[in-house]
Amino acid sequence: MKSTRKALALLLCAAMVMSCTACGRARAEKPGTATKTEEAPIPLTILTRPNFELEANTLRDQLTKAGFEVTVNVQPDRASSMAVQESGKYDINILNWLTDAGAPDYAVRQLYHNDGSYNMWPIKDDELSALIDEAAQLTFEDSIPVYTKIENRMVDEMCWTIPLYNRTRFVAVNKDVVDPNTIFCGGSTPRFFGMSQYVDKSLSETRPYVAVQFDPNPPNFDPIRTEEGSTFWMKANSYISLTACNANDEVVPEYSLSRAFAIGEGNSTFYFMLRDNVNFAKVEDNKAVDTGVLVSAEDVVYTLERAKDPDAVPLNSGYTNLESVDTIGIVTDMEELKNIKVSGSSQSVFDYFNEKAPAPITKLTEETSEVDNAAGVCQVVKITTFKPTPQLVNFLTISTLGIVCKDVVSSLNEGVDANNYDPAKDVLYGDVNTLKEGSAQFNNNNWFSGPYAMLYINDYEMVFDRNPGFMPDTEWAPNIKNLHIKMMSDMNTAYSALRSGEIDDCMPEGNWGSLKEAPNVAIIDKESTSVTTLFFNLMEGSKMNDINLRQAVRYAINQDDIIAIKEGTVTRSHSTLTMIPTGNEWNADPAKSAEYLQKYRDSLK
């Protein structure tokens, strides 16, 4: 699936709109800059997207002073960025990475492991991959020393990556309309719009909630096909996950399909007792209707088996999260649960589940028609792993692994070869044209397990309706019936729309000082696991394969200059492992930069 992985990488790469070149010899104009060199500057091309243009320009200035001739290439859209990425005509790529569910393995495996599904550069480092595998088998406390080694290896020793800053997550809402206290804002989790509520609750059934995302042109809406910003919110709100994260990035059963979950002794067996109050929704007459079909254990097994198969669909981004999974099945023998202890506890899994069930458990069944939690009839899904993987419960919160309907997806995808998929003639579940208003292929036959069902998409917005079968009559049923997510690429336009009352909600990026003074705007902030990072082009033939050149770039970059232009919205970072207290701190060193650059020059002679 090399072509699949490459295509996936292209969708995620950071992109760029115009190019400007800074030429001239490096000069030491102020303390802390590199010393003057009389040799010709080394050319570098930085690839980025519009909302990273300030960062790119600051990097250009720093690297120019260090002896480089820098071109900044800002592409206007995904197609253009894909073309640049595929051509390999760049040296440094600016990318933002959010570590979902606060799992440190997620912060490194997909980006830096030899087999990572987002290792688009590509990095090939057996020692680093072995460390990543080792850390994944440990509990959080035991893993800290190994993750410290990982950070040292990928940043300081090999300089595979350069962190710019750790981003604070912000949500800005029109407080005259929306109650700020109901906004869900986690550090690494998606936005769950079903929790939002109007100040005037009587508007909930008639007034659409209008939010904004800054990633237009989503490629498709099958949960496992790609995992990037343009579909992140849609998938999280349209498909329920097996576990969930709260606003503090703690893995919890609330708002997930599991009424309770437990890790067995040894951290290689995982049990999930499912709810019986989540039904699939489908779209009829441009509204969501309850199908009456329970989101069942059979659907969970199908979803995860499908996700762990790299060849299940084109652009499958789910398999990396499930690489350690051996078996997925349904438990029907209560004695099994009675005979295994919860990890770190003397309590059996059965007793633990019995405490969480609405009635004493009398039967475990694989038959969906028999499920009745109030009568003690439950479904339990069991996952085993090849090796201890305590972070698996974190991975299962990720929107990529949202639960789909086995019968619907398997029927729609029947007969399509994923390896020879032709979007011009083949139709797969979640293809954007099947949901796009006005498209000749428009035929919304998707079934949705989450709090909202997507009605349609057009060039301007995604439109959703509440799933009437999603935990009705509970605190988790969506408060507001209709949700519209506007797609805007210009942040200033969004800020203006929020101030004027045209939209209710946005997540500010870049310079948004104008929102702070708006009388109708409330801003909620949360420390996040989102890190803006530089990645090098390590394709065959790229000059960035030379470690001396990478280190010359690394020591020329001063994070403080980058942080200053972000106006207090970001903090220093040493890697994507923001949740690990490594004690490392990023420091520029112009003298080292000059030394490494000279080593690179000498290698060319």
Side-chain angles (χ1 to χ4, degrees), residues 116-297:
S117 58
Y118 296 126
N119 185 355
M120 65 187 84
W121 333 113
I123 293 168
K124 296 300 177 184
D125 185 334
D126 293 341
E127 180 177 337
L128 179 59
S129 293
L131 287 170
I132 291 172
D133 289 338
E134 178 185 351
Q137 299 182 55
L138 305 173
T139 62
F140 182 83
E141 292 77 11
D142 293 339
S143 71
I144 291 174
V146 184
Y147 279 117
T148 301
K149 291 180 181 178
I150 289 171
E151 184 172 270
N152 292 338
R153 175 73 178 176
M154 70 186 188
V155 178
D156 299 310
E157 294 175 22
M158 299 305 297
C159 195
W160 294 127
T161 183
I162 295 177
L164 290 186
Y165 53 75
N166 186 188
R167 306 172 74 182
T168 301
R169 176 176 275 191
F170 296 91
V171 179
V173 297
N174 182 347
K175 65 182 180 181
D176 292 343
V177 177
V178 180
D179 181 356
N181 296 315
T182 64
I183 297 298
F184 182 89
C185 180
S188 67
T189 55
R191 298 287 311 286
F192 292 123
F193 291 104
M195 300 180 188
S196 299
Q197 181 58 284
Y198 291 134
V199 174
D200 180 356
K201 296 180 180 179
S202 67
L203 300 175
S204 299
E205 299 300 310
T206 57
R207 184 189 184 281
Y209 189 94
V210 184
V212 166
Q213 73 172 33
F214 297 121
D215 290 289
N217 305 319
N220 69 79
F221 296 101
D222 181 340
I224 63 171
R225 292 173 63 193
T226 78
E227 183 178 24
E228 36 67 53
S230 66
T231 59
F232 186 54
W233 289 3
M234 177 273 171
K235 292 173 181 177
N237 285 276
S238 292
Y239 296 96
I240 195 170
S241 55
L242 196 54
T243 56
C245 263
N246 62 19
N248 295 319
D249 294 332
E250 299 164 329
V251 183
V252 295
E254 290 83 7
Y255 213 63
S256 79
L257 189 59
S258 297
R259 191 178 293 276
F261 61 87
I263 304 176
E265 289 177 300
N267 298 324
S268 293
T269 55
F270 304 80
Y271 296 91
F272 306 86
M273 180 173 65
L274 305 188
R275 301 179 188 276
D276 67 346
N277 61 348
V278 180
N279 288 352
F280 286 104
K282 65 178 179 179
V283 176
E284 289 182 355
D285 299 324
N286 208 34
K287 64 180 180 180
V289 298
D290 185 351
T291 63
V293 176
L294 183 69
V295 182
S296 69

Side-chain angles (χ1 to χ4, degrees), residues 388-405:
T389 313
Q391 295 180 56
L392 179 65
V393 293
N394 296 73
F395 302 150
L396 293 170
T397 71
I398 298 169
S399 59
T400 305
L401 302 179
I403 308 304
V404 297
C405 179

Side-chain angles (χ1 to χ4, degrees), residues 432-479:
V432 66
N433 284 338
T434 65
L435 288 158
K436 191 161 189 178
E437 193 177 42
S439 167
Q441 292 180 312
F442 181 77
N443 182 19
N444 189 351
N445 45 21
N446 297 259
W447 281 28
F448 303 97
S449 60
Y452 286 98
M454 185 176 182
L455 303 182
Y456 62 86
I457 181 177
N458 55 37
D459 292 336
Y460 310 104
E461 62 182 355
M462 293 182 280
V463 177
F464 302 81
D465 191 17
R466 179 170 55 204
N467 175 1
F470 186 86
M471 304 190 200
D473 302 319
T474 72
E475 62 180 310
W476 305 116
N479 290 319

Side-chain angles (χ1 to χ4, degrees), residues 33 80 281 311 336 343 369 377 385 425 440 520-521 586 596-597 602 604:
T33 59
S80 299
D311 297 325
E336 177 178 344
S343 180
S369 60
V377 182
T385 54
K425 62 181 182 65
N520 67 324
V521 174
W586 184 269
Y596 280 114
L597 189 59
D602 291 343
L604 300 179

